[in-house]
Each structure stands twice: as C-alpha cells, then as structure tokens.
Amino acid sequence: MANRLLFPPTTLKDIQDRGWDVPDFVYVNGDAYVDHPSFGAAVITRTLEAAGYRVAVLAQPNWKNTNDFKRFGRPRYGFLVSSGVIDSMVNHYTAAKRRRSSDVYTPGGKAAKRPDRALIVYCRLIREAYGDIPIAIGGVEASLRRFAHYDYWDDAVRKSVLLDSGADLLMFGMGERSILVTADWMSRGAPIWECAKMRGVCFVSPAPMRGSIEIPSYEDCVKSKKKYGEAFLVQYNEQDPVRGRAISQRCGDCCIVQTVPDMPLNREELDKTYTLPYQRTWHPDYDDQGGVPAIEEVQFSIAHTRGCFGSCSFCAITFLQGRIVTTRSHESVLEEAKTITQMPNFKGYIHDVGGPTANFRRSACDKQLKHGACAGRQCLFPKPCPNLIVDHTDYIQLLREIRALPKVKKVFVRSGLRYDYIMADKSDAFLRELCQHHVSGQLKVAPEHVSPKVLAVMGKPGRDVYDAFCSKYKRINQELGKEQYLVPYLISSHPGSDLSAAVELAEYLRDINHQPEQVQDFYPTPGTLSTCMFYTGFDPRSGKSVYIPRTAHEKAMQRALLQFRRPQNFALVREALRECHREDLIGTGRECLVPPEGMKSAHEYAQIRHEKKAREERREQRNKKKPQGKAAQGRNKPAQSRNKPSQGKSPKNSASSSRRTSSPRH
C-alpha cells in the first residue's frame, strides 16, 4: 500500500498525523481523488500545497446529511467545491436521459456516488453545516453554467449555478492562477467588490459592473429564445483573454458579473504544473475497492498542450481552455515520460502523447498572442485562414525524443489529431512519421459527419478534406508496407442533421464498408454553441434557422441508420428510408442498406449480397475472356455452355461458401 503521507489528507487522522489543528481549505469533489495531472482536483490541490496552504480533500462525500462535511471541522479559510472532471448530470445520464450503470471516476466503477447537480447539493450542505463560511466553486460544471443556461435534463433555462448553489465566488476555465488569487482573497476575508479586480471569476453584484457588457437578463432568456441566443453570442465572443471584456447579466434584483478571462499559462508556468509531486495513482483509500478505473486511460499517457483553435460547435474547450494554444517544453514532457518508464507496471508503451488537439504545438498565428483569437472567424473552418501557421516539425522532434528514451518500445498518438490541419501541411513528413512509428494498427479521427449542411453547423471541414486525408493515409501506409486502418468518430442527431443527412452518412458507411461499434448521439451539454442551436433552433451567429432532431424516435432512426447492418435496426432503418422516399435503398442489391420485410437476419442478407456479387464477378470474368469478332462466335458458345453448370451449384454448397466469406464482416 502506498504511503498515505505522500497524498493529500482525506481523514481526520491524516490531519492529526501532519500535526495540523485544522486545514486552511477543504476541497470537496464529486470524483474519487486520483493524484495525477490529468485530474483537476489533483492539480488544484497540489498548486495550493506548493503555495503553502494546508488542503484536505473531501472526495465523494455522503450528501444525505452534513456529517461528512464536518469531518475536518471548520476550515480556517473556507471550502472549495467541484463536481468532478465532468458535469454531474452528464456523468449520471446518457444522451437519451437514461441513468448510467457505472462511473469510471468512482472506486470500483460504481454509480450513484455523487448527487445530481452536485455543486448545488454540496454547497447547500456546507451552508447548513457552517452558515456563512466562504465557498468558491470551480471546474467544468461551474465553468459551463456561469450564466443563465439551457439545461437539457430540465428542458428549461436555469439560473447561474452561482446563484443556485449560494456560493460566494465562481472560478471558470483552467484554475492554476485563479485558485491562488481566490485563496488569497478568502484568507484575507476581503470584501466581494475586490473580485472585480480578479481575472477568470464570477461573483454576485447588486448592479452591473462598470465597463462591462450587459447581456439579456435571466428573465429575458427564459421568455425569449432570441434573447437567449443574443446572450450566448456575447459570452462566446468575449471568451478570449486578450480582447475579451467583462460581462454582466441581471437576475432578479442582483447581477452575475464575469470578469475578463484569465490568460493561459505560459510555457514555464505549464511546465511547473507538471513538476508537482503527483503520485500518479488513486488514493490508498480505494485500494480495497479495486481502485479508480479512470486512471487506466491516462496512466501511461502524456498531455503536452492546452487550448484548441479548432472551435468545433459541439466542443466546450473554447469555454474551458480557450482558443490560444500553449505547450509544454520538450524537457518537461521528457521528464514525465522518464517518470512513466520507472513505474512498476510499465510495459514499454506510451499510450498517447496528445492534448485537446494532439498536433497543435503552437498558436494558430502570431496575431493571436497580441490581439487574441479573431471574433466571428475560425482558424480552420470553412477553410484554413491565410494567417494560419501550419508546422509539425516541433511535434515530430518531440515524438522522436520520447521514443528514443530507454525502456520505451513504442509511442502512440491515439487521440485528438486534427486531420484538416495535417492536410493543410504542405509536407507529408508528419503523417509519414505518424504512420511509421505512432499508429497501433488503427488511427481514430473525427470527421463527425459527411453531409455538407451538418458539417457547416458543426464547424467541421467538408467531406472532400476527409476523403483526401483517407487517400493520403492509405497511400503512405502502402509505401511503408503497413496495413493500418482509420476509425472515424461520428455524431448522430446533431443540429442540422435531418433524416436525409443521416441517410447520406449511412450510404458513406456502406461505401467504405465500415460499421461503427458505437454511435454518439449529440449531447446538449451547457456552454456549447451546438447546445444553443439545439435550444433556440437557430445559429446565434447568423440568425438562420437550424433543423433540430428533437423526438426520441427520430434520434433512434438516425442512430439506427449509422448501424444499418444490425438486424434489430432493420425496422427503424426501413421506416427512415421510406420517410425520406429512399425506398431504393431497401432490397438485396449492393447499394441497399437493409433487406425487405421477410428477411430474418443480417446473415441472410449478407448471403444474398455475396451470391449476387459472385455472379457479377463471374460474368465480368467471362466477358473479359470472350473472343471478339465473328470468327470467335462459334468458339464462344461452348465456353458459355461450360460456364452454365458452375452457376447451378447446389444451394447448400453456395450457402456454405457465402457464410465463410461474409462472417468476418458481420
């Protein structure tokens, strides 16, 4: 068992063993505590410790009463509260609003170890236990719910979580700087008006802050979707830390004030974050419960960047890490890699060297550092900006240095590659290096869709860019003598996707002979542009209406179209095709997606398709061998008669052959 003294204290005995009377702060978290830099609780706790504060961790407290919240006594300065790595409602429910049966951020993967709307519940229990003690909230749930926001689970606009929770201060975005400023503010017992001087925080004020932009009130957002869209667009455009301005939103007789977003950490500061004394595993409290499953994905992986200028509509990174990319130094990354190689269960494989976008190793352009990311424009969509600097040389060098380390057998890049950025590179050097050294048989990329109208709403490049990437990837692998495949990530039922767009995507999957094992339905999470479109029915940037798949039945049809080969989906696919007047795709031909009614299984359908394909291939071979001209007509007849018996094989033999051929695909 690991030494408990190397981890932050989680029990009263841990506090006493350190000789503390009370902690300065109690950090309440909806996740189990994992001491790894991929987990926000560890980063914030270790950052405070490095600054000299005493921090106790209250992970996944029992929310049925206040007993757990009194575990350490009244902290000297106050409570810090987060719901965990992801929003607590997303953690609990699928896109279909079904309760999840497991939770990888809980010991043993058990579900229901935190409440719905965890921030609100935790803060109210703290108030019940200690009255007006200072409380600051942060993390994903706080960052994405800082203003009036659409809540998918209530299907309604909710107030800022700062008001619903009763906390004093909300920190948004990446928190290494803001947590230290907040800790100083709390430790001094300073008045609330001082928060106006801080960056990256929200607070409650009796009136709008001087110099801020006032957006439509909570009440206006509830009454009018147009006003909601206006409010969201201002938040979206003012998120930049260089050119962004403070924002105020009225709610009842008070205002939510957001200060200017904090600047991203520079390289030296980011490197320092990764030098903190993480134990890179779960707290010993969880050893007897089987540990925390979430560590498995990141234990042997390295994050080398923050931020993303890709700005996909459905992604919340813009509101969390921002569009300005910052990167760690080679020395910092290599030091972490060396640490990983010394771990007792390391087998020689670095599983991933990535980040929000793995192949961004610099800001999009030099202008971003001085003037911020452009408002109303994107760096890669609809086409790469003329000012975009495309350069993979630093990333190539970094990967080479990691794989040259002793004990490292292989270094993989498994997530976050932006293929349109790769295609904008005039050189093939990175893709060749990637295919030769960093792909484990298959590479996952995210075209998300193929329909132009859907891709335009998503902020993703056209299908032609992805097709060109597929061709280049295939060519380079052939030149290297490797058999490696692409696995596309796809989203169904995204705003803009009607049934005809879903059929178009299904036809694409048919043509590339790919059947997704899992399909991600669009999930309207707070804080994204796509969620704003889902709620309002229009794009707040242009004011143009956007088609929204709303009913559970239509979403089920769109999802079924992406997995059209599954027998359980046949009925839904037929219904969708008939609704789109695409009955031509129901049948037994090569181009068809599903068989007509009466076919009992996908196997029978595959058998018919295989036999038809075999007949066509035999016919093509005969035509190629057929002599030309009148002189050959006599000789051709016997050949035709000799071919006839081959078409008259017994059904039993033909079916047997079909099963052998089709089984690997199904």
Side-chain angles (χ1 to χ4, degrees):
M1 181 179 288
N3 185 350
R4 296 183 64 89
L5 292 176
L6 298 177
F7 293 81
T10 61
T11 66
L12 181 60
K13 186 177 185 304
D14 290 339
I15 294 287
Q16 295 168 343
D17 288 346
R18 285 166 170 77
W20 301 356
D21 49 356
V22 292
D24 294 330
F25 297 99
V26 172
Y27 188 110
V28 183
N29 190 32
D31 294 338
Y33 184 80
V34 180
D35 200 31
H36 189 282
S38 292
F39 296 79
V43 173
I44 296 302
T45 302
R46 293 300 191 180
T47 298
L48 286 168
E49 285 180 345
Y53 293 103
R54 297 174 173 180
V55 186
V57 173
L58 181 58
Q60 297 189 321
N62 180 355
W63 71 92
K64 305 300 182 182
N65 54 55
T66 61
N67 292 346
D68 269 355
F69 295 86
K70 297 178 180 179
R71 179 185 301 174
F72 306 104
R74 184 184 179 98
R76 182 171 286 107
Y77 302 135
F79 281 86
L80 307 170
V81 186
S82 170
S83 65
V85 172
I86 60 177
D87 186 280
S88 59
M89 299 302 285
V90 177
N91 178 279
H92 282 170
Y93 300 96
T94 69
K97 299 184 181 179
R98 296 191 183 96
R99 191 84 182 186
R100 299 188 194 273
S101 59
S102 62
D103 179 359
V104 296
Y105 299 102
T106 296
K110 295 179 180 178
K113 288 296 183 179
R114 79 191 80 204
D116 286 355
R117 310 193 189 285
L119 280 181
I120 297 172
V121 175
Y122 292 157
C123 289
R124 289 179 179 176
L125 286 166
I126 293 169
R127 287 279 179 245
E128 183 181 341
Y130 294 108
D132 61 353
I133 191 168
I135 303 174
I137 58 176
V140 172
E141 188 164 326
S143 294
L144 302 185
R145 297 174 180 266
R146 64 188 95 149
F147 288 108
H149 57 280
Y150 171 71
D151 185 90
Y152 175 60
W153 305 272
D154 279 356
D155 192 24
V157 175
R158 292 181 64 98
K159 297 177 183 178
S160 166
V161 72
L162 186 57
L163 291 174
D164 279 345
S165 66
D168 298 288
L169 191 71
L170 183 155
M171 298 169 283
F172 63 89
M174 306 305 287
E176 288 97 336
R177 280 211 200 98
S178 59
I179 191 62
L180 294 179
V181 176
T182 296
D184 176 69
W185 174 78
M186 294 172 75
S187 67
R188 292 186 292 107
I192 195 68
W193 57 261
E194 273 199 19
C195 297
K197 302 176 182 179
M198 298 158 60
R199 297 185 68 137
V201 301
C202 295
F203 60 94
V204 180
S205 170
M209 189 172 80
R210 184 181 300 173
S212 65
I213 303 174
E214 186 172 354
I215 60 176
S217 68
Y218 161 72
E219 290 79 9
D220 286 342
C221 289
V222 170
K223 294 175 184 177
S224 168
K225 291 184 177 181
K226 182 179 179 181
K227 292 293 185 182
Y228 183 93
E230 291 175 7
F232 178 85
L233 187 59
V234 173
Q235 299 168 46
Y236 186 78
N237 287 334
E238 300 303 324
Q239 186 60 32
D240 189 85
V242 179
R243 55 169 177 76
R245 294 168 289 179
I247 302 172
S248 297
Q249 182 180 50
R250 295 179 188 270
C251 181
D253 57 359
C254 65
C255 280
I256 298 295
V257 174
Q258 172 188 293
T259 64
V260 175
D262 204 355
M263 290 294 294
L265 299 185
N266 60 37
R267 175 167 286 184
E268 291 72 23
E269 291 171 321
L270 192 56
D271 284 353
K272 185 179 179 181
T273 291
Y274 285 85
T275 64
L276 299 174
Y278 308 104
Q279 299 305 299
R280 304 187 71 85
T281 187
W282 57 72
H283 195 280
D285 285 346
Y286 315 128
D287 286 346
D288 294 339
Q289 302 172 63
V292 182
I295 190 66
E296 296 173 7
E297 288 293 320
V298 297
Q299 193 171 24
F300 303 117
S301 297
I302 301 171
H304 67 98
T305 71
R306 275 195 190 170
C308 176
F309 52 77
S311 302
C312 297
S313 301
F314 49 81
C315 183
I317 289 176
T318 298
F319 276 83
L320 292 170
Q321 299 190 15
R323 292 173 59 186
I324 299 176
V325 171
T326 56
T327 60
R328 295 168 61 188
S329 68
H330 286 217
E331 293 76 15
S332 172
V333 175
L334 289 171
E335 193 61 36
E336 184 176 5
K338 291 174 184 176
T339 300
I340 290 174
T341 65
Q342 302 304 314
M343 295 174 68
N345 52 345
F346 179 68
K347 305 297 183 184
Y349 301 97
I350 303 290
H351 293 171
D352 199 7
V353 182
T357 300
N359 53 321
F360 290 175
R361 277 288 295 175
R362 54 156 296 132
S363 58
C365 65
D366 294 334
K367 291 182 178 180
Q368 279 191 349
L369 301 177
K370 294 181 179 180
H371 307 291
C374 298
R377 296 184 62 185
Q378 291 176 247
C379 302
L380 283 163
F381 177 81
K383 292 183 178 180
C385 174
N387 295 319
L388 180 68
I389 300 173
V390 183
D391 187 2
H392 285 99
T393 53
D394 187 53
Y395 192 29
I396 292 172
Q397 182 59 33
L398 177 63
L399 292 171
R400 287 175 176 172
E401 291 172 3
I402 297 172
R403 69 174 189 256
L405 291 174
K407 298 185 179 181
V408 173
K409 298 177 182 177
K410 193 83 172 180
V411 178
F412 296 115
V413 179
R414 287 181 168 169
S415 63
L417 285 170
R418 188 82 188 209
Y419 65 86
D420 49 349
Y421 189 73
I422 295 175
M423 293 306 295
D425 195 339
K426 295 179 180 179
S427 169
D428 289 350
F430 172 68
L431 188 54
R432 186 172 294 276
E433 188 97 359
L434 181 75
C435 294
Q436 187 167 7
H437 298 288
H438 305 290
V439 178
S440 59
Q442 60 183 30
L443 179 66
K444 296 178 180 179
V445 288
E448 311 295 2
H449 217 284
V450 297
S451 170
K453 59 186 178 184
V454 182
L455 292 170
V457 174
M458 289 179 164
K460 297 287 288 186
R463 174 181 166 178
D464 58 320
V465 179
Y466 180 64
D467 286 344
F469 175 75
C470 292
S471 298
K472 182 176 283 192
Y473 180 81
K474 182 179 179 180
R475 172 179 61 79
I476 288 176
N477 275 297
Q478 287 175 340
E479 292 172 358
L480 294 172
K482 291 180 173 287
E483 188 174 354
Q484 300 185 133
Y485 303 95
L486 287 173
V487 177
Y489 282 129
L490 304 166
I491 297 179
S492 68
S493 304
H494 188 276
S497 177
D498 54 16
L499 281 177
S500 64
V503 171
E504 185 177 351
L505 181 53
E507 290 187 280
Y508 174 77
L509 293 171
R510 173 203 64 199
D511 294 342
I512 66 172
N513 194 30
H514 178 66
Q515 176 71 67
E517 292 183 8
Q518 293 181 323
V519 174
Q520 175 61 59
D521 279 356
F522 169 66
Y523 205 150
T525 54
T528 70
L529 183 60
S530 294
T531 299
C532 179
M533 294 185 216
F534 177 87
Y535 172 60
T536 64
F538 63 86
D539 187 331
R541 298 167 297 183
S542 65
K544 294 181 179 179
S545 62
V546 177
Y547 179 83
I548 307 296
R550 295 197 184 278
T551 68
H553 188 63
E554 181 179 357
K555 292 178 182 180
M557 286 194 289
Q558 292 208 25
R559 185 170 57 252
L561 279 164
L562 270 62
Q563 297 176 314
F564 59 84
R565 288 197 180 102
R566 294 188 174 183
Q568 62 268 35
N569 290 340
F570 284 178
L572 278 172
V573 174
R574 291 189 198 103
E575 181 182 351
L577 293 174
R578 287 177 177 130
E579 191 167 323
C580 293
H581 306 293
R582 292 301 308 272
E583 290 85 352
D584 57 301
L585 297 177
I586 303 173
T588 58
R590 270 195 215 179
E591 73 287 352
C592 294
L593 298 181
V594 289
E597 284 84 350
M599 293 291 176
K600 296 181 179 180
S601 68
H603 172 71
E604 291 181 27
Y605 178 39
Q607 178 179 325
I608 291 173
R609 292 181 63 183
H610 171 70
E611 291 174 350
K612 183 175 180 180
K613 181 179 179 181
R615 288 196 300 271
E616 291 173 353
E617 289 174 349
R618 287 196 296 270
R619 188 180 302 112
E620 289 173 3
Q621 290 297 322
R622 289 199 304 271
N623 290 338
K624 287 178 182 179
K625 294 178 181 179
K626 189 182 297 183
Q628 302 296 319
K630 293 182 179 180
Q633 288 180 1
R635 293 194 301 272
N636 192 40
K637 287 182 180 179
Q640 288 177 338
S641 65
R642 285 195 299 271
N643 280 334
K644 284 181 181 179
S646 68
Q647 297 181 22
K649 290 181 180 179
S650 69
K652 181 178 179 180
N653 291 338
S654 179
S656 175
S657 175
S658 173
R659 282 194 294 271
R660 288 195 299 272
T661 307
S662 63
S663 60
R665 292 192 301 163
H666 297 278

